[in-house]
Amino acid sequence: MPDPIIVGWAHTPFGKREDKDAEELLADVAGVAIENAGLAAEDIDAVFVGMFNSGMSKQDFPSSLVLQSVPALRFKPMARSENACASGSAAIHAGRNFLKAGQGRNVLVLGVEKMTGNSTATVGDALLGASYRKEEADVPAGFAGVFARMGQAYFQRFGDQSDALAMIAAKNHRNGVDNPYAQMRKDLGFDFCRTVSDKNPIVAAPLRRTDCSPISDGAAALVLSLNDDAANFARAVRFRAAAHVNDYMPLSRRDLWQLEGAAEAWRQAFDTAGVGIGDLSFVEVHDCFTIAELMAYEAMGLAGSGEGARAIIRGWTEKDGRLPVNRSGGLKAKGHPVGATGVSMHVLAAMQLAGEAGDLQLRKADLAGVFNMGGSGVANYVSILEAV
């Protein structure tokens, strides 16, 4: 079967959505994405929902919640995908596989998470569900502490990278100013991100508050269709490649100074697409913490091992650099509603490729890379996208 294409999308603002639960967030994007694709609900053959939850919402089992807002989808097959912080990409892969298996022509993929409304301790414990609890349940500062261990290992091997992490945070906040969906639309500047203060304390050394993505609510959606129908749509973005690999979950089983699973996913995606890092116009990467973006530079081959700081210090990853990274503001500024993140990353990349990114639009947007990660480099998804 021909590879599926992205033909429509929708995206809520991310942030503290006190007026919305997960069902209402899904309602905000489901019908809009179908309409954006120029389809009717009756044209959709299946629905796939990415949601992590892990106790953050008492309403689990979200796959049929969309029926309250789009009743015409009744009796369609629907399923939830969960792969920690990469649940959205897992849902995209489920939708692609449904189409590639010849089971339909159009699918709706949704990503959603309702995180706020819980105590910080509750959210922290929920996120630890994406770690190996047998060994990591008591890590100080929760999931930030997990990535802090990775940062410590990286610093011990390659030296203090605090300047580079602050530069990454500052870059992503500058980019987030232009994103109408972003939770944090304020240019914080390098000095604020670099300096430990009452407003920017150490969360888990070496990570400061500005090195950590915020707790967030939100949803995103896209419509996938078969490539041989591309001429029927106003826009079409195809997957040159879509790779997924999983690595060990226990931190004790891995070298914490590198993202080996991410590197393997990038290798597979580049091989399938027949391109290399130098062919990409821009990249959206999973910067749940700034150390993750720094290590992602090396995993994708933009910089050598231990040399990721060069990419940010030399301006390579700025919006006007050789490979813009997280023009959207990334998870750092845009927010990280866990199940929505992977779908959001694909939506914003598709908008760039279609020339519909508004104030975020890059001068050159021909070939995109997307890297979405579940857990501490455990579930790794890489997509290579281009406009048809």
Side-chain angles (χ1 to χ4, degrees), residues 56-95:
M56 290 185 288
S57 173
K58 289 186 177 180
Q59 177 58 67
D60 214 342
F61 185 39
S63 55
S64 286
L65 291 178
V66 70
L67 292 179
Q68 275 73 273
S69 57
V70 192
L73 292 172
R74 190 182 184 194
F75 303 132
K76 307 287 187 178
M78 300 180 180
R80 170 192 181 177
S81 297
E82 187 280 305
N83 218 357
C85 318
S87 295
S89 288
I92 291 172
H93 276 239

Side-chain angles (χ1 to χ4, degrees), residues 2-343:
D3 206 42
I5 52 175
I6 301 170
V7 297
W9 47 75
H11 202 297
T12 71
F14 284 179
K16 189 175 183 179
R17 307 296 304 277
E18 295 178 340
D19 58 328
K20 303 280 185 178
D21 60 16
E23 178 183 330
E24 292 166 314
L25 290 166
L26 288 172
D28 284 346
V29 293
V32 176
I34 296 169
E35 183 179 357
N36 185 256
L39 296 172
E42 291 80 4
D43 298 319
I44 300 299
D45 297 308
V47 179
F48 297 91
V49 181
M51 184 179 184
F52 175 55
N53 198 17
S54 190
M56 290 185 288
S57 173
K58 289 186 177 180
Q59 177 58 67
D60 214 342
F61 185 39
S63 55
S64 286
L65 291 178
V66 70
L67 292 179
Q68 275 73 273
S69 57
V70 192
L73 292 172
R74 190 182 184 194
F75 303 132
K76 307 287 187 178
M78 300 180 180
R80 170 192 181 177
S81 297
E82 187 280 305
N83 218 357
C85 318
S87 295
S89 288
I92 291 172
H93 276 239
R96 294 181 74 253
N97 291 339
F98 180 90
L99 295 179
K100 287 170 73 68
Q103 294 183 291
R105 301 199 69 82
N106 307 294
V107 300
L108 174 65
V109 179
L110 304 159
V112 66
E113 208 72 64
K114 175 66 179 181
M115 303 177 72
T116 68
N118 298 290
S119 68
T120 300
T122 297
V123 173
D125 184 69
L127 293 176
L128 274 175
S131 68
Y132 188 58
R133 285 192 183 268
K134 286 184 178 180
E135 297 179 3
E136 298 153 22
D138 297 325
V139 171
F143 213 58
V146 171
F147 273 85
R149 285 190 180 182
M150 299 169 72
Q152 291 162 12
Y154 192 96
F155 282 26
Q156 288 167 7
R157 190 176 183 91
F158 301 115
D160 190 310
Q161 306 294 321
S162 297
D163 284 352
L165 298 191
M167 292 180 75
I168 289 170
K171 167 184 69 72
N172 290 346
H173 280 289
R174 280 195 303 276
N175 286 340
V177 171
D178 298 325
N179 187 351
Y181 305 122
Q183 180 169 353
M184 302 176 72
R185 300 186 66 187
K186 184 177 181 180
D187 183 355
L188 298 180
F190 170 77
D191 288 343
F192 180 84
C193 295
R194 180 64 179 88
T195 304
V196 175
S197 65
D198 290 342
K199 292 185 178 180
N200 189 29
I202 293 290
V203 175
L207 303 178
R208 300 146 296 206
R209 180 176 291 165
T210 50
D211 293 309
C212 309
S213 59
I215 295 170
S216 189
D217 308 326
L222 53 81
V223 175
L224 299 176
S225 297
L226 291 179
N227 194 21
D228 55 4
D229 289 337
N232 299 329
F233 296 98
R235 63 187 66 79
V237 173
R238 76 178 178 116
F239 290 81
R240 285 279 294 268
H244 168 210
V245 307
N246 268 48
D247 202 351
Y248 292 118
M249 183 177 291
L251 297 178
S252 61
R253 298 291 301 272
R254 309 204 318 264
D255 291 327
L256 298 186
W257 51 271
Q258 60 180 334
L259 294 173
E260 293 179 275
E264 175 61 18
W266 278 105
R267 185 194 66 77
Q268 291 185 17
F270 283 144
D271 285 351
T272 299
V275 300
I277 188 68
D279 298 305
L280 299 181
S281 305
F282 66 97
V283 175
E284 289 287 321
V285 305
H286 193 102
D287 62 319
C288 49
F289 301 92
T290 52
I291 186 63
E293 179 166 331
L294 182 70
M295 295 168 74
Y297 296 161
E298 298 171 20
M300 73 176 81
L302 181 61
S305 180
E307 298 178 347
R310 296 174 60 202
I312 185 68
I313 292 171
R314 298 186 181 186
W316 297 350
T317 58
E318 298 282 356
K319 64 182 180 181
D320 56 354
R322 60 189 271 189
L323 183 66
V325 175
N326 287 337
R327 178 65 183 104
S328 67
L331 286 58
K332 181 67 205 67
K334 184 180 61 177
H336 182 26
V338 179
T341 290
V343 181

